[in-house]
Amino acid sequence: MDRYLRAGRLATFAYFTLNGFLMGMWIVHIPVIEHRAGISHALLGWLLLLLGAGAFAGMQATGPLTDRFGSRMVVPLSAALCSAAVVLPGLAANAWALGAALLVLGVGNGCLDVSMNAHAVQVEHGYRRPVMSAFHAAFSIGGVLAALVGARTLSWNWSPVTTLGAVAFVGLAVTALAAPALLRPAAARRPMDAAAPVVNAPRKTPRHIWALATLALMIMLCEGVANDWSALHLRNVLDAPAATAALAYGSFATTMTLGRLLADRVAARFGPVAILRHGASVAALGLTAAALSPWTPLALIGWAVFGAGLSGCVPQLFSAAGHTDQGAAGTNVSRVAGLGYLGMLAGPAVIGPLTHVLPLNLTFFLPVSCCVIAAATAGIVRPLRHTPALLEAEAV
């Protein structure tokens, strides 16, 4: 059984890395695709909403499908759709075609996001210890890999169609190779589970799941703010050179990835509540330091601390949602992922209008308040009483 679990875990790493790589390759090619389609920055911003809408729709549709047919079937299909769809923006020659391409890519991304997280919950259930954060770190590593590959192919003057076509082929190959190792529903359970009494718990706990989803919205709103506004903060508020300003997001992303690689060990020792409570508190302190700092080096440290604090928060929410009810794990994860994704889109959009009435650095106290709320309500990720003990550490 351990061999099957290890194989399933490696396959899950492959799909998370693939998802980060596919979306990263699209992001790297945005400027070239925008120029090829002949659209303005403003129109591109509106078209990107179609990407978000497609992802949200895909997430909500895939959750129940995963519960019904199993992640072993849904994950490869979702990965194949996402892989094939990544080439579509490169083919777009006008705004209408690009909008349709982004809608399909968003659906593929949303389907893969929910189904692979549902399978990650399955793997974590089999391991009986936290493993979710490392999967999310693999997604980040996929994005870094995309940045490196994309920079190289762009320097070779490869067209978006050529590069993204090759990426689609690689994605389909990875999908096919990793699919056989995915766990069957029964394979995620250890032999001792067979003797465990059947608990006639409710299939759904809507209030609990929606509370987790609301926290996911808040935490991922914070991530969205860092993604889109960290470099502008250093550039426009502290007058840092463009190259230095870019380090703001770099420091955030680096500590986010490293934190996720370490968070599982910390969660196993201290429990998911401690990860969310202390992580959100550290994130609030880091962003406060960045917002109020008059010095660029201190601001960079603040953004790095912000990333480290946030790194383990979202995986705990996904894990808590998936373990609330094994029979509805896909649906529950889709609710949390869906609202979280909306938060990531809403964060940058909310900050923009606020800058008309407040300096940019003071608008960051909106995500700071979100972190404070998450820290204060961290007990929500404590396993419910009717939920089987899944982790070795007790929630604190």
Side-chain angles (χ1 to χ4, degrees):
M1 179 62 69
D2 287 341
R3 179 168 60 87
Y4 293 117
L5 279 173
R6 285 196 297 270
R9 188 181 184 188
L10 289 175
T12 311
F13 275 123
Y15 284 112
F16 271 82
T17 304
L18 175 62
N19 192 199
F21 180 67
L22 292 174
M23 298 312 297
M25 289 302 293
W26 144 246
I27 291 171
V28 167
H29 286 85
I30 286 178
V32 179
I33 291 173
E34 179 189 44
H35 181 265
R36 186 177 188 275
I39 60 176
S40 64
H41 295 327
L43 181 54
L44 175 64
W46 286 106
L47 292 178
L48 288 175
L49 292 178
L50 292 173
L51 180 70
F56 184 78
M59 289 175 181
Q60 300 314 304
T62 304
L65 290 175
T66 301
D67 292 333
R68 181 174 181 180
F69 298 106
S71 53
R72 181 180 172 87
M73 176 182 293
V74 179
V75 170
L77 293 175
S78 300
L81 173 60
C82 193
S83 297
V86 77
V87 74
L88 297 180
L91 297 170
N94 54 58
W96 291 101
L98 182 57
L102 292 179
L103 183 64
V104 176
L105 179 59
V107 170
N109 179 49
C111 292
L112 180 55
D113 192 305
V114 166
S115 59
M116 70 184 185
N117 272 288
H119 188 266
V121 169
Q122 231 182 300
V123 173
E124 189 171 64
H125 182 73
Y127 269 84
R128 292 185 177 274
R129 62 181 173 85
V131 296
M132 179 68 77
S133 293
F135 294 138
H136 285 250
F139 178 90
S140 300
I141 292 171
V144 173
L145 181 61
L148 296 175
V149 173
R152 174 57 63 186
T153 57
L154 287 170
S155 71
W156 290 339
N157 293 320
W158 285 20
S159 69
V161 175
T162 301
T163 303
L164 296 179
V167 168
F169 178 80
V170 171
L172 292 171
V174 171
T175 298
L177 290 173
L182 293 174
L183 300 180
R184 293 181 175 84
R189 305 179 64 185
R190 292 193 172 191
M192 66 182 70
D193 294 337
V198 177
V199 180
N200 294 319
R203 298 278 304 170
K204 296 180 181 179
T205 53
R207 292 180 182 177
H208 181 66
I209 295 302
W210 287 118
L212 290 170
T214 301
L215 281 187
L217 184 150
M218 293 182 181
I219 295 298
M220 294 182 73
L221 180 148
C222 296
E223 292 186 26
V225 168
N227 291 343
D228 285 23
W229 292 100
S230 55
L232 288 172
H233 166 235
L234 261 69
R235 182 67 174 148
N236 296 343
V237 176
L238 299 180
D239 294 321
T244 302
L247 295 177
Y249 174 70
S251 62
F252 170 84
T254 299
T255 55
M256 171 76 78
T257 303
L258 293 176
R260 285 178 169 174
L261 289 172
L262 299 173
D264 287 330
R265 292 181 180 274
V266 179
R269 175 65 179 85
F270 298 103
V273 177
I275 290 286
L276 182 56
R277 177 177 295 145
H278 299 303
S281 299
V282 168
L285 291 174
L287 186 54
T288 298
L292 299 180
S293 173
W295 304 296
T296 296
L298 180 58
L300 288 172
I301 293 173
W303 283 110
V305 172
F306 186 49
L310 288 182
S311 61
C313 294
V314 169
Q316 306 312 311
L317 297 171
F318 279 36
S319 180
H323 291 307
T324 296
D325 181 354
Q326 287 291 309
T331 300
N332 292 339
V333 169
S334 73
R335 300 293 184 261
V336 175
L339 273 191
Y341 194 83
L342 289 181
M344 183 168 286
L345 294 176
V350 170
I351 294 297
L354 284 178
T355 59
H356 292 300
V357 295
L358 291 172
L360 176 59
N361 59 318
L362 295 185
T363 66
F364 293 155
F365 283 96
L366 172 62
V368 166
S369 66
C370 290
C371 291
V372 171
I373 293 172
T377 59
I380 196 170
V381 298
R382 182 179 287 112
L384 300 180
R385 290 187 177 182
H386 68 264
T387 304
L390 300 171
L391 305 178
E392 293 177 356
E394 292 184 353
V396 296

